[in-house]
Amino acid sequence: MSPEVLRLAALFEEVLQALAEVPLAELVAGRALPEPSAALVEHLRAHRATLAGWLRSPGCAEALCVRLARWLWSRNQYVRLDRAALTAACARAASELADELAGEPDAKDMSERLVRTGQELQARVAALVRAGGGKTDVVCSEYAVTLQRDALGLGDAPLTAPVLDVGCGRSAGFVRALRAEGVAATGLDREAPEDVALVGDWLTFPFGQDRWGTIVSHQAFSLHFVHQHLAQGPEAFAYARVYMAMLRSLKPGGRLVYVPGLPFVESMLPAKTYRCTKVPLPEAMLTEAVHALERAAGFELAYAAHVERLV
């Protein structure tokens, strides 16, 4: 990328950072966006030809889609995004902005055009967020490797390789720690770092058959499964199918390890094929937030499940 494009990307990033404290529900409802910064306006005016060409390129739409999706997921980890539709919305907004750069707009005119383009993109994205069920903030966090081991009830015990960390996060810290110990490990996440993990959606990922020695998922797949189960929508059935696909992908003797627990599905596993062991969360992790989640769900959640494939 040219220096002009890199600078534009940094200025767009500042726009997203400025929205960090605005509740997602307000943005979806159409809350007015902040006025464009003078730096953004002047940069667009000063490099019209170079930036217009990039704004019309497929690479621009994809880059905008990736960054916007990441920002939306940071606000609500459960929102399901139609990536093709989001990319199309970004492409349309970028193309409209490129058109606005034609001629020689003064600062006031350029600012007004930016506001108009931003409002139109906001409306399109809001529609996608509503369709994806993510109208409010549900923040996703990453956790220290030692905390993940404790929560999953793994302690210092070695894990049977190969290991797959489902929902490994942007840092894939657990995967990196396992690799540092000499364990063959891979992560899976929609924002996964490609050097140690696979970028993908766990609802469509081909887990395979007799492939993994251990699959782990710390407050990722099962937390989303609980959310969908309580919502009683079609996504709950999709999660149930993927859950069984993960179990089938284990080698005989392999384990699927996750937290929180899923008692509503674990109770239906055939005892001749799978054995489920519940490992209580450490006392220090039994916070009021955990108890509140259990009360809301109406069933026990505060344990790590170790589901072993017997045959």
Side-chain angles (χ1 to χ4, degrees), residues 22 107 139 267 292:
V22 180
V139 178
S267 62

Side-chain angles (χ1 to χ4, degrees), residues 169-195:
R170 292 173 62 184
S171 68
F174 193 51
V175 175
R176 296 185 192 279
L178 289 174
R179 289 194 175 197
E181 298 169 9
V183 179
T186 302
L188 170 65
D189 200 282
R190 56 195 177 193
E191 297 186 81
E194 295 184 19
D195 61 325

Side-chain angles (χ1 to χ4, degrees), residues 110-135:
M110 187 73 256
S111 180
E112 291 174 351
R113 295 180 184 186
L114 273 172
V115 169
R116 183 166 58 249
T117 301
Q119 289 173 339
E120 292 171 356
L121 177 60
Q122 179 185 9
R124 296 180 192 121
V125 172
L128 293 175
V129 171
R130 285 193 293 270
K135 295 182 290 185

Side-chain angles (χ1 to χ4, degrees), residues 284-299:
M285 295 183 183
L286 295 176
T287 63
E288 176 54 32
V290 172
H291 294 309
L293 180 60
E294 286 189 318
R295 289 194 295 270
F299 47 77

Side-chain angles (χ1 to χ4, degrees), residues 143-207:
Y143 301 89
V145 173
T146 52
L147 184 148
Q148 292 184 61
R149 274 191 172 275
D150 290 344
L152 289 167
L154 296 173
D156 296 324
L159 300 182
T160 303
V163 177
L164 178 67
D165 183 359
V166 177
C168 63
R170 292 173 62 184
S171 68
F174 193 51
V175 175
R176 296 185 192 279
L178 289 174
R179 289 194 175 197
E181 298 169 9
V183 179
T186 302
L188 170 65
D189 200 282
R190 56 195 177 193
E191 297 186 81
E194 295 184 19
D195 61 325
V196 296
L198 303 169
V199 178
D201 186 330
W202 55 45
L203 289 181
T204 57
F205 180 73
F207 289 93

Side-chain angles (χ1 to χ4, degrees), residues 18 30 44 73 101 117 132 146 155 194 228 269 291 298 311:
L44 286 166
W73 282 327
L101 293 177
T117 301
T146 52
E194 295 184 19
Q228 299 298 337
L269 294 175
H291 294 309
V311 295

